[in-house]
Amino acid sequence: FKDKIYQVRKQSTNSLNTIRLHKQYLKISNFKNFKNISVPKIHNQRKLNKFFYYDMEYINGPTLSLYLMSQPISLTNITINDLLDFIFNCKKESFQKYNKTHFIEKIKDLRKKKFFRIYFYKKIFKTLQSYNWENIDESQSHGDLSLENIIIKNVKIKFIDVSENFVDSYKLDISKILFDLISFWSFRNASLKIDTLKINSLKIYLLDVFSKKLSKNDFDDIKMLIILDFLRVLYYSNKKEEINLLKNKLKNFYDNINNPLRW
């Protein structure tokens, strides 16, 4: 609480984290507000003992995961359609394709972890490495569009933890929100009772929209990015119950990759 304003400080703790946090600060500063969607205001930024930090507006509101559980579908649909408008506006303004090396290097880095050396993961990595990664558009994006990183305040949308990811693409945003609904990741620590019917209904609705508005090649890209999302979250997970949740959901997704109704 400073100058009668509640603020959140994002503080780096080492030189590598300083670089990452500064990139995040720049992305927030340059974020183009879209209709009902904005990011928290940044009040201050500087280095303290060579480590970068910034102070930003504190948003007091529920995450979209909690909002989905507590609000009627009529209100949730307004928010979801605003998110879809944002995503497809990013698609419309995409300007070039990424070189496939961005993805091959990321896959190689993930594969180094001992955890991924069992056969179950080997076949998944083989699928990723043989995929044609030449159709991923560069565009404005959130970077980590999980339901936990969307806050609803007075029916307006605030994006938090806007991230400078390994690529900036609307396809990564689509993959992340679908990954979240497929894995129930943002609901793993939910304080409210999980309404699986609402989650599955939203997932089916989004799959229907994306299958109609995207080409088959685009949808194939997103499926591969969803697999990458699973592996990237698994890479940092250390709780046994979370690892088991992700592994089971990933297996079901991979085994039924061409049958979205079973995701």
Side-chain angles (χ1 to χ4, degrees), residues 31-203:
F31 186 87
K32 298 176 184 176
N33 293 348
F34 179 78
K35 294 183 179 178
N36 209 26
I37 300 172
S38 61
V39 293
K41 294 175 183 176
I42 293 179
H43 297 291
N44 183 39
Q45 59 86 19
R46 59 171 53 96
K47 284 187 176 180
L48 181 65
N49 298 325
K50 297 184 179 181
F51 297 148
F52 181 77
Y53 75 86
Y54 63 88
D55 296 330
M56 62 180 177
E57 172 189 13
Y58 171 70
I59 309 297
N60 184 16
T63 63
L64 183 52
S65 50
L66 289 173
Y67 191 76
L68 186 64
M69 294 297 98
S70 61
Q71 298 298 319
I73 290 176
S74 57
L75 279 180
T76 304
N77 282 350
I78 294 171
T79 299
I80 296 303
N81 288 327
D82 284 344
L83 288 173
L84 288 170
D85 286 346
F86 168 79
I87 288 169
F88 285 109
N89 185 68
C90 293
K91 178 181 185 299
K92 184 177 69 176
E93 296 185 354
S94 60
F95 46 92
Q96 63 184 26
K97 308 286 186 184
Y98 275 102
N99 189 296
K100 65 180 181 181
T101 56
H102 276 85
F103 305 93
I104 299 302
E105 290 304 315
K106 175 59 68 174
I107 293 162
K108 285 181 180 178
D109 285 343
L110 288 169
R111 196 166 191 173
K112 291 176 184 176
K113 189 171 185 179
K114 291 181 181 179
F115 178 79
F116 292 136
R117 291 181 185 175
I118 61 175
Y119 176 73
F120 168 71
Y121 295 109
K122 284 183 179 180
K123 61 179 181 177
I124 291 174
F125 276 104
K126 186 176 180 181
T127 298
L128 289 173
Q129 288 183 303
S130 62
Y131 186 70
N132 178 16
W133 293 98
E134 295 184 343
N135 192 42
I136 310 293
D137 311 77
E138 186 175 349
S139 72
Q140 183 186 6
S141 68
H142 179 290
D144 188 11
L145 196 61
S146 69
L147 303 183
E148 290 177 303
N149 288 337
I150 302 165
I151 291 181
I152 312 302
K153 178 73 172 178
N154 298 327
V155 201
K156 292 186 177 181
I157 299 168
K158 289 283 187 179
F159 282 169
I160 61 169
D161 280 351
V162 171
S163 299
E164 186 69 27
N165 217 314
F166 78 106
V167 291
D168 260 332
S169 176
Y170 72 91
K171 288 183 179 177
L172 193 65
D173 279 355
I174 293 174
S175 78
K176 191 67 180 184
I177 201 165
L178 287 177
F179 155 78
D180 210 343
L181 293 169
I182 290 165
S183 67
F184 288 16
W185 185 247
S186 285
F187 303 94
R188 67 195 184 282
N189 298 316
S191 56
L192 297 175
K193 183 181 178 182
I194 297 177
D195 188 336
T196 56
L197 182 60
K198 277 187 176 180
I199 298 170
N200 287 321
S201 295
L202 175 55
K203 178 177 63 180

